[in-house]
Amino acid sequence: MKSLQIRMMVNGETKDWSIAPGDLLLDVLRREGYFGVKRGCETGECGACTVLVNGRAVNSCLMFAAQAQGCEILTIEGVARGDALDPIQEAFLDHGAVQCGFCTPGMILNAKALLDQNPNPNEEEVRELLAGNFCRCTGYKKPVEAVLAAAQASRQKPWKSAPGARARTR
Amino acid sequence: MFDHIQAFYQPNSIREAVRLLRRGGRQARIVAGGTDLVVEGNRSIRFLVDVTRLGLDYIRQDRKGLVVGATATMASLVHSPKIRALADGILATAASTCGSVQVRNMATVGGNLASASPAADTATPLLVLDAMVVLAGPRGRSKVLLEKFFTGPRKTLLNGALLVEIAIPALSRGLRTGWSYQKLGRIETDIAVVNVAAGLCLDRAGRCAWARIALGAVGPTPMRAHKAEALLAGQMLTQESVDRVGDTVMQQVRPIDDLRASAEYRREMSRVLVRRALAECAARAGCSL
């Protein structure tokens, strides 16, 4: 088995990593210390491993790391700018949408991808979105409220993102 | 889990991809979105051939109809104005129910067909649209009707070839048609218990010129219900004729029991969904039952 050299941009930083051909993106990110990317079901159902690849939410447990060659990856570690939280993170705190926190990074990243494309989603769209993120503590009411509140806050005060965490155009 | 993979190839041409597949034989598999392949976790695979860098993610119109590249994602089908405008949007609707947002951003239409699940969400709309699939193998390209492509549960005609694109023939202009996609699952984005796609074409007198009905998850492959379709051709559309079609469909399907539903329930739901689909087709074609 030959190892592969891949280069990708993770949270705005260029990374050159050596990977095995069968490594999944989830394995590589956690190996490199991005523990906000959670290992959940490993079958693409729970959404805990969600990251953004070129601005689109994917389950990193289903993507081979080799396919991320040349891509821009955003994990939860790259969402805040220093101590300044993203409006979605603020809203999750304000609405008590976090209990154990295991599903939270995936929810926030999935919501971020949605709001970057559709700054004005309705409740049904947010609920449909969060169908890809399982919460086994508290449910979905507060996360849904948080995403809607974040959308409203962002419309009132456009968020200037950190480099590498900016809204990406397709 | 995938420590048995010895090489991950990322060819830049279809020809190279076909050559790599041939060289790898039974130990080689195509990977695109990975949403089926990774979950399957087959440990006999040694070589992966990534087809997402072949430029096959297009959706374009040509003289004969629409052509959809095999690696177009479910999300791109959902958002494509061409796909949304086609046949009352049944293919876009089907794609929008194919798993979560994250899965739809990864899963491809070619993968959905090549995996050949009897419940494949995009198979039934493509069957009623009379779609053809274009395959590339060591001996060149071939084009087959999608209906012939499926040969059994998770079995197709592929045999080491690569699914390149899907051709959807244009409908003649000026036809009065209505289309519908119906899916029954525990929630909408689950794997279907039963799914149905249907299309109706009415003539000037309001008679049914033709009907097309396809069902998923009720037999070894996604299937067309030709016998039931024939009952409607040349007939006025009435509640009785639609009921008769539902009864015929029920006799034609060959469902199994599994963890999602019993065969009996699937048979009954085939009838219900076909009746609903035909009623929606009729309404969309501007005719009430």
Side-chain angles (χ1 to χ4, degrees):
Chain A
M1 185 180 74
K2 248 173 56 183
S3 64
L4 302 171
Q5 302 303 312
I6 56 162
R7 167 172 290 196
M8 53 182 130
M9 186 87 101
V10 183
N11 301 335
E13 295 169 9
T14 302
K15 300 288 180 185
D16 290 291
W17 287 331
S18 180
I19 61 161
D23 275 349
L24 296 166
L25 183 59
L26 168 68
D27 300 324
V28 172
L29 289 172
R30 287 186 62 85
R31 192 161 70 215
E32 298 293 339
Y34 297 89
F35 296 121
V37 188
K38 299 300 181 194
R39 187 185 299 280
C41 68
E42 296 185 84
T43 53
E45 291 179 30
C46 77
C49 67
T50 299
V51 299
L52 304 195
V53 176
N54 294 339
R56 270 174 278 192
V58 304
N59 294 314
S60 62
C61 73
L62 296 183
M63 182 169 173
F64 285 97
Q67 292 180 302
Q69 164 67 33
C71 291
E72 285 186 42
I73 314 287
L74 183 67
T75 73
I76 194 67
E77 287 87 350
V79 171
R81 183 180 49 177
D83 289 340
L85 297 180
D86 184 276
I88 304 170
Q89 293 174 306
E90 292 279 6
F92 266 65
L93 289 176
D94 292 346
H95 287 78
V98 179
Q99 191 159 325
C100 89
F102 194 83
C103 67
T104 312
M107 283 195 179
I108 288 175
L109 286 162
N110 207 6
K112 187 164 174 55
L114 173 77
L115 297 189
D116 285 348
Q117 280 177 26
N118 173 9
N120 193 16
N122 60 33
E123 181 176 337
E124 198 189 326
E125 286 168 325
V126 174
R127 285 190 173 274
E128 209 280 314
L129 175 91
L130 293 182
N133 297 88
F134 291 178
C135 168
R136 296 289 94 130
C137 295
T138 169
Y140 302 91
K141 191 171 188 301
K142 285 160 189 274
V144 169
E145 286 170 3
V147 175
L148 288 169
Q152 200 181 10
S154 303
R155 285 198 299 278
Q156 282 160 3
K157 197 179 92 184
W159 170 250
K160 290 197 191 74
S161 295
R166 64 189 184 276
R168 292 182 179 90
T169 49
R170 285 166 62 186
Chain B
M1 192 165 73
F2 287 89
D3 49 1
H4 50 287
I5 304 291
Q6 290 170 7
F8 194 97
Y9 298 110
Q10 296 188 293
N12 292 314
S13 72
I14 292 171
R15 174 180 247 189
E16 176 75 355
V18 168
R19 196 180 63 78
L20 287 165
L21 282 171
R22 191 184 186 187
R23 204 173 68 187
R26 287 171 174 276
Q27 296 183 318
R29 281 283 288 277
I30 294 171
V31 58
T35 54
D36 281 334
L37 180 96
V38 175
V39 175
E40 184 191 323
N42 182 342
R43 293 194 65 87
S44 68
I45 304 170
R46 293 284 175 276
F47 311 104
L48 289 173
V49 181
D50 180 9
V51 294
T52 59
R53 293 178 187 230
L54 302 177
L56 295 177
D57 57 352
Y58 49 83
I59 297 171
R60 64 182 177 229
Q61 190 102 43
D62 71 10
R63 275 179 302 127
K64 295 180 191 156
L66 271 183
V67 187
V68 180
T71 65
T73 61
M74 294 298 167
S76 70
L77 294 185
V78 174
H79 294 119
S80 158
K82 292 189 186 83
I83 299 292
R84 294 168 84 101
L86 170 75
D88 294 321
I90 51 169
L91 182 55
T93 305
S96 77
T97 71
C98 189
S100 64
V101 171
Q102 294 97 316
V103 166
R104 298 198 299 269
N105 282 337
M106 310 171 82
T108 64
V109 62
N112 197 224
L113 299 178
S115 287
S117 157
D121 290 310
T122 59
T124 44
L126 287 168
L127 281 172
V128 293
L129 289 164
D130 283 342
M132 315 272 292
V133 285
V134 176
L135 315 178
R139 267 172 261 116
R141 290 199 178 201
S142 56
K143 199 170 184 179
V144 281
L145 202 59
L146 180 61
E147 200 182 346
K148 307 266 190 241
F149 176 72
F150 299 118
T151 56
R154 306 225 159 251
K155 290 198 176 68
T156 66
L157 290 177
L158 271 177
N159 191 26
L162 172 69
L163 203 168
V164 174
E165 64 187 22
I166 299 117
I168 304 170
L171 294 159
S172 314
R173 278 165 191 247
L175 290 182
R176 194 170 146 202
T177 61
W179 303 82
S180 174
Y181 180 75
Q182 303 284 329
K183 174 173 171 177
L184 178 71
R186 194 181 50 87
I187 61 169
E188 202 186 34
T189 52
D190 273 348
I191 294 173
V193 168
V194 179
N195 68 46
V196 168
L200 280 179
C201 178
L202 304 181
D203 66 15
R204 285 210 189 107
R207 274 177 211 282
C208 176
W210 48 253
R212 298 179 191 166
I213 301 166
L215 296 104
V218 291
T221 66
M223 58 178 272
R224 276 281 288 266
H226 291 292
K227 219 167 157 187
E229 293 173 4
L231 292 177
L232 286 175
Q235 304 295 313
M236 290 305 286
L237 221 51
T238 62
Q239 191 59 57
E240 292 72 50
S241 62
V242 167
D243 289 349
R244 227 170 22 245
V245 170
D247 296 344
T248 304
V249 163
M250 234 176 121
Q251 289 158 15
Q252 243 195 298
V253 295
R254 287 189 290 145
I256 56 165
D257 293 309
D258 68 10
L259 75 168
R260 272 177 280 279
S262 65
E264 189 190 357
Y265 183 62
R266 285 194 160 100
R267 189 171 287 118
E268 184 60 37
M269 288 305 108
S270 303
R271 167 158 74 177
V272 171
L273 294 196
V274 163
R275 285 197 304 224
R276 274 185 207 164
L278 291 174
E280 187 166 70
C281 290
R284 287 175 169 175
C287 146
S288 58
L289 290 180

